[in-house]
Amino acid sequence: MSSTKNLESRPASSISGHNDMTFDAKSMNSQTCLQRNQVEKKQSILSRIVNTLWATRQTRDFNENADLLVKTTLKELIIYIIFLVVISIITFGMTSSINFYFTNVMMKLFLEQPNSNGVTFKDIGSIDDFWDVHSEPILNGLYWEIEENATKPGYIYFENKLLGVPRLRQLRVKRGSCKVHSLFEKTISDCYDSYSYFNEDQSPFGIYELYNSSDGENPFRYSSSDKVKASIVSGTFSTYGQGGYVKNLGLMMAESKELVENLKNHIWIDRGTRAVFLDFTIYNANINLFCQIRLLTEFPATGGAFSSWTFRTVKLIRYVTPMDYFVLACEIIFILFVLYYTIEEALEIKKHKLKYFKEVWNVLDVVILLLCYVCIGFNIYRVIEVNNVLDSLLTNINKFPDFDSLSYWQNQFNNAVAVVAFLSWIKFFKYISFNKTMTQLSSTLARCAKDIAGFAVMFYIVFFAYAQLGYLLFGAIVEDYSSFTNTLFSLFRTILGDFDFEALESASRYLGPIYFLSYVFFVFFVLLNMFLAIINDTYSDVKSDIAEQKSDFELGEYFKRGYDKILTKMHLKKDKILDIQEALAVADADGDKNLSFDEWRTELRKRGYADAEIEAYFAKYDQDGDKNLTEEERKQMEEDLKKQSNKIDNDMQKIHREASITSKDESDESEGSDNEHDEESKQNLVSHIEFNILTKRVDTMEASIGSIVNRIDSVLTKLDTIEQAKLKRREAMTKILDKLNNANSVKDDVQRAKLQEMIRQELEKWDEPLSVTPQRANSSRAVSPLTQSSSSLGGMRTKSSYKQQ
């Protein structure tokens, strides 16, 4: 009571505030629930999208659902085929056969053009040869100053633009960099060692104090690597640094020839010189290709001169022609694919944790993705850097353009893309491993890995023994054995049949043939055949095991099931059309050329069609809605049926042809290994035609039984309705009799008895079962035994209920 009084004593505002707070709490709870439901709905939609797009065999649980496994595998395979197509377009769009021809033209121009003495760049053997070749054929190739090219200086072969100016760079070693033996100290005063970073000479030499140049460059003073910005070069005899003594040539031939003669006269090359580089870059706008050329002449500590060269033909400006922009679109698609596979691998790693990296294919996926990201990053870097270099070159054409690093990294990019393409094609085995035939290679290598590892130890012991022996015996005379690396490659080439026996024989008349024959016997006849025996035995075991195994699933069987389903549906459609055509031909019983709905329904009911289907098809052609089909409407129906029938026949013939080709290919593939098994299985299996006929019969029976069950249900429903109506009428008549018995107005017992007798007779008539009228019996279809039994049971039930009452 006290609490009630306290509540009554509160002001109305406080009570209303309390109610508002309660309402606000409820509304906040409802809003929170609504937001939570929305978040859960979004999360479910997101999870559904993820499961649809990134569903793989490693992220989805199939639970013995073979069709889902097939669909997922086919989806992965189709997506990866598109990815391979995109990679192929990108790789082939980066290069073409024109690259080879452009490089070949430049090599012939600068390497094979002789001077007045018939010496080419390839034939340089001394300092004099170097100056003669560089002052005549090299400068003649760089500067085409003839009448046809006078208006366009700086063009080679009239089509190739020389970018900027060429650059000469020299690397030297210090005087006294090597130690002379005490026996020759008095005779030999100077000693110049081979080039290395530690004995590189960076001090000025020659006429460095007297040399004056208009561009301020002094070729007798050392320039640091920060200023030169050259790359590290691996030559025949050593690896050379990034600095050096540098001199740029001129834009015209006369200026450049004067510079070369000046350097020659002032002895720019002497005993301390170890390498001279001539670098320049050519661009052909017709084919949008750069050719970065380096001509290297090495002056080793042995004396003489040896030439080598590098020609890098690259496409640094990528997007010019419509084909280039198509490749750009493919590159964008490639980036989307990389993001797609990144998410896919992340989901697989999230599910399997460290177990993910136990499979070789998963490791290969990660390696491919990393290489893809490297290629994408370099592609962006190249576009930015090329624009910077070209802008700097256009502002000062007398400057040497540094395309060396760009061309080098472009080559590395091409190599990385080539490796990605190679690994991507190898990865294709991952998506076709569901077929047992496709696993033969991986299974063979995996099973014989231990045997091959043991064999490799034995092989390389013998192989390196022969390599060291050959290097020590013939290294000073035979070029193929001049270094240990060359010896290794020569021995591998000998296994493949590429060898120079005459050089070995001329080097040592007795040891050469003995060395060659013993190597061929032990390595070629013994070890190589042991290796092949290991592979053959393992492959035979794998082949026998695979013959007993079953594939995860057979694509042929999956597609055959699809073919059978399509054919079954087409057969049903064909039968339906035939039924309609037959009904259309005989339905016009009165011969007035107008088909009424009752006639149409009667004929189709005989063929087991439902009323809804009959009405829908009739209404499609009954345009005026009068429940009658005119002659024109019937012709239109006949034409449509004929067209549908012809179309189904054509589709069935096409599917039969494809199925026969597929079955023929599969039978040819499996004929050799599974011949006996196929014959036994064929005896136990029915043909496709018999299977289709049986399927058609079963479907027809199901349709007929379904219509019969529907009719039985409708009859039972009507009987129940009639029974209820009779009960109501009987109750009404009983009430009338009770009223008559109680009525005082009727005094004559005879009349009352007659009236009661008439009412009883009427009730007995109501108790009798309903009889079917003749018209109804004639118009209705024959009733199956199941329907008759149901009807009799219904009648018996009705009579028994009446008798009980």
Side-chain angles (χ1 to χ4, degrees), residues 155-388:
Y155 280 86
I156 301 171
Y157 277 133
F158 312 109
E159 304 292 345
N160 307 289
K161 175 64 178 175
L162 177 64
L163 300 180
V165 295
R167 182 180 71 182
L168 283 170
R169 180 168 68 99
Q170 177 188 172
L171 289 173
R172 302 171 55 83
V173 293
K174 299 176 183 178
R175 183 178 180 180
S177 54
C178 57
K179 185 177 181 181
V180 180
H181 197 271
S182 58
L183 296 175
F184 295 96
E185 286 181 350
K186 295 181 180 180
T187 308
I188 302 174
S189 57
D190 297 331
C191 179
Y192 296 87
D193 198 359
S194 299
Y195 177 85
S196 68
Y197 175 79
F198 300 100
N199 58 20
E200 180 183 1
D201 187 10
Q202 299 182 1
S203 60
F205 72 100
I207 59 167
Y208 68 93
E209 295 180 350
L210 303 176
Y211 188 87
N212 294 319
S213 176
S214 58
D215 57 3
E217 292 182 351
N218 191 336
F220 296 93
R221 287 185 177 273
Y222 183 81
S223 298
S224 64
S225 59
D226 295 335
K227 183 178 180 181
V228 177
K229 296 181 180 180
S231 59
I232 298 175
V233 180
S234 295
T236 305
F237 299 94
S238 184
T239 300
Y240 302 99
Q242 298 173 294
Y245 302 85
V246 178
K247 181 60 181 177
N248 291 338
L249 301 183
L251 291 173
M252 306 300 291
M253 183 173 182
E255 180 183 0
S256 298
K257 196 163 190 177
E258 182 180 355
L259 288 173
V260 172
E261 290 294 332
N262 192 10
L263 293 176
K264 177 182 178 182
N265 294 332
H266 291 91
I267 314 176
W268 189 59
I269 299 177
D270 57 11
R271 290 182 60 191
T273 302
R274 286 294 173 262
V276 177
F277 301 87
L278 176 62
D279 297 307
F280 55 94
T281 304
I282 297 171
Y283 174 68
N284 190 309
N286 299 334
I287 55 178
N288 188 29
L289 289 178
F290 290 82
C291 186
Q292 197 277 328
I293 301 173
R294 173 183 293 119
L295 302 179
L296 170 60
T297 305
E298 296 179 83
F299 301 92
T302 60
F306 297 88
S307 60
S308 60
W309 51 87
T310 302
F311 288 77
R312 296 197 191 109
T313 301
V314 291
K315 189 175 183 178
L316 296 177
I317 303 176
R318 292 292 303 276
Y319 313 115
V320 178
T321 64
M323 182 62 187
D324 294 336
Y325 284 102
F326 174 70
V327 174
L328 174 61
C330 292
E331 290 176 351
I332 296 174
I333 297 174
F334 173 76
I335 294 174
L336 296 178
F337 267 111
V338 172
L339 295 176
Y340 172 83
Y341 282 116
T342 301
I343 297 174
E344 180 180 296
E345 300 306 319
L347 292 175
E348 292 179 358
I349 293 174
K350 180 181 178 182
K351 181 176 181 179
H352 298 284
K353 302 297 188 295
L354 294 178
K355 294 180 181 178
Y356 170 86
F357 297 97
K358 291 184 179 180
E359 292 189 13
V360 178
W361 293 120
N362 295 335
V363 176
L364 182 62
D365 292 339
V366 175
V367 172
I368 291 175
L369 285 177
L370 292 177
L371 289 175
C372 289
Y373 279 111
V374 170
C375 295
I376 293 170
F378 177 78
N379 204 16
I380 299 172
Y381 162 76
R382 183 205 50 238
V383 173
I384 298 172
E385 190 64 21
V386 168
N387 292 332
N388 294 335

Side-chain angles (χ1 to χ4, degrees), residues 87 112 223 269 317 372 383 394 488 598-599 688 695 703 783 794:
I87 284 185
E112 299 180 5
S223 298
I269 299 177
I317 303 176
C372 289
V383 173
L394 293 175
L488 293 175
D598 293 334
E599 295 172 339
H688 288 286
T695 306
V783 182

Side-chain angles (χ1 to χ4, degrees), residues 738-756:
D738 294 338
K739 289 181 180 179
L740 288 174
N741 292 325
N742 298 326
N744 296 322
S745 60
V746 180
K747 298 180 179 179
D748 191 354
D749 295 335
V750 177
Q751 291 182 356
R752 186 182 293 114
K754 289 182 179 180
L755 183 59
Q756 292 178 354

Side-chain angles (χ1 to χ4, degrees), residues 9 62 212 311 327 334 370 377 413 425 509 582 609 777 797:
S9 63
F62 298 102
N212 294 319
F311 288 77
V327 174
F334 173 76
L370 292 177
F413 169 77
W425 279 105
R509 185 175 181 182
E582 292 176 359
Y609 292 94
R797 184 183 60 184

